[in-house]
Structure formats: C-alpha cells, structure tokens
Amino acid sequence: MSGFQRVRGVLIGLVMLAVAIIFMAYPSEDVYTLIVGILALGLAIAGIKDIIFYFRMARHMIGGKMILIQGAIIFDFAILTSALASVPKIYILLYLIGIHAFSGIVEILRAMEAKNSVEGPWKIKFGHGIVNLALATACLIFIRNSNTAIMIYSIGLIYSAIMRIFNAFQRTSFILIQ
C-alpha cells in the first residue's frame, strides 16, 4: 500500500466516523431516507463496477462469470434497497438483520478456512464476523424501536471506519518472484 493510499484510507475513515456520529446525534426521518439512499447508491456502484470489470477483464478469467453474476445480484440488491425507502422501518430492520447475519457467517467461515489452510490474519476476519453477528442480534433485539435502523447503521459505519483506519496503518506484505 502506497503512502497516498494510506492517507486516503485514514481520511475516508475519519469522514465515515464523523458522518456516523452525526447520524447518531440527530436521528430523524431525513437521516433514515439518506441512509437508504447511501446504501442503494453504494450497492449500485459496487454492482456496476463488478459488471464493468467482467466485460473489461474477468470474461477472460477462469471463474469470471461469477463476477458477472455477483455484480448483477449486488445491483439487484441496490434496486431493492432503493425501493425500501417508502416501506415501514421494520422491513429495513429485517433487511439489516439478513445482511449482517449472512455477512457475519461468511466472514467466520472464511476465517476458519484461513486458519486451517494458511497462516495469516484470520483473527481480524473472525472478529469482523462476530461484530456482524452482534449487529444482527442487536437489530433483532431492538426491532420495535423506531431509530434502531439508524443506530445499527451508524454503529456499523463506525466499525468500518475504525477498521479502515487500522488497515491504513497495518503493514502490508508482498511476494517478490524472481
């Protein structure tokens, strides 16, 4: 990771931290709509990026069609998320529960696979999976509270910001092939 990438990672992490604190300090209907918009936009960008990557490079790779399918599914989730702006908040909470629970289980399984097969930073992946499962559980416990979606999203944003800042200062190893 270059110096510019490290600085950019820290700055993005600090902005994410500030936005999460603002969301938590002033929860309202406008913040809820903004969060749904941010989620939909982020998923749409990620889906389109994967689809473009497929057509530019991945179609020539082994398993490249999986990137196309992944991009299409992520873009579909973006459309679904944007449609959830006008439905009751309980559906967004169920959506957040599903996303965090699935993501947590996948991260824990990836960490266990990394622990068994390769020496590496499996503890960070395992911790990330546990945090995602904890967020899903908190979302399930506080499902009746109207500001739960804003708080859960803000907590997840704070965690992502801290991890981004942490990764910016973490040493990166690379393999040199001679």
Side-chain angles (χ1 to χ4, degrees):
M1 184 180 288
S2 70
F4 175 74
Q5 289 172 328
R6 291 182 193 278
V7 170
R8 187 182 72 189
V10 169
L11 290 177
I12 290 173
L14 291 174
V15 168
M16 288 170 60
L17 201 59
V19 167
I21 291 171
I22 290 170
F23 284 171
M24 289 179 85
Y26 304 107
S28 67
E29 203 59 39
D30 294 333
V31 171
Y32 174 76
T33 306
L34 183 63
I35 287 173
V36 171
I38 289 171
L39 283 172
L41 182 66
L43 288 171
I45 289 171
I48 291 170
K49 190 172 86 171
D50 281 352
I51 292 170
I52 290 172
F53 177 68
Y54 169 77
F55 284 112
R56 295 188 84 205
M57 185 178 295
R59 66 182 167 167
H60 304 293
M61 296 169 30
I62 296 175
K65 287 184 183 176
M66 289 302 295
I67 293 172
L68 176 65
I69 293 168
Q70 174 183 323
I73 290 172
I74 290 172
F75 190 73
D76 286 343
F77 274 118
I79 293 169
L80 174 68
T81 303
S82 66
L84 291 176
S86 61
V87 298
K89 289 183 182 178
I90 194 160
Y91 294 116
I92 285 289
L93 291 174
L94 292 172
Y95 186 62
L96 282 173
I97 290 169
I99 288 174
H100 283 296
F102 180 74
S103 176
I105 290 169
V106 168
E107 282 295 321
I108 289 172
L109 291 175
R110 287 176 60 201
M112 291 301 167
E113 181 182 1
K115 179 183 177 187
N116 292 334
S117 63
V118 189
E119 293 294 325
W122 66 271
K123 292 178 185 178
I124 294 173
K125 288 183 183 187
F126 187 78
H128 186 66
I130 295 296
V131 168
N132 273 330
L133 284 178
L135 286 174
T137 305
C139 204
L140 189 61
I141 291 171
F142 301 112
I143 201 164
R144 297 273 186 219
N145 190 352
S146 63
N147 289 330
T148 302
I150 296 170
M151 294 301 166
I152 295 295
Y153 181 77
S154 298
I155 291 169
L157 198 60
I158 289 171
Y159 178 73
S160 294
I162 291 170
M163 289 306 295
R164 185 178 289 265
I165 292 170
F166 175 76
N167 286 336
F169 289 113
Q170 191 176 20
R171 287 184 152 219
T172 54
S173 60
F174 60 92
I175 300 172
L176 179 63
I177 299 173
Q178 294 180 337

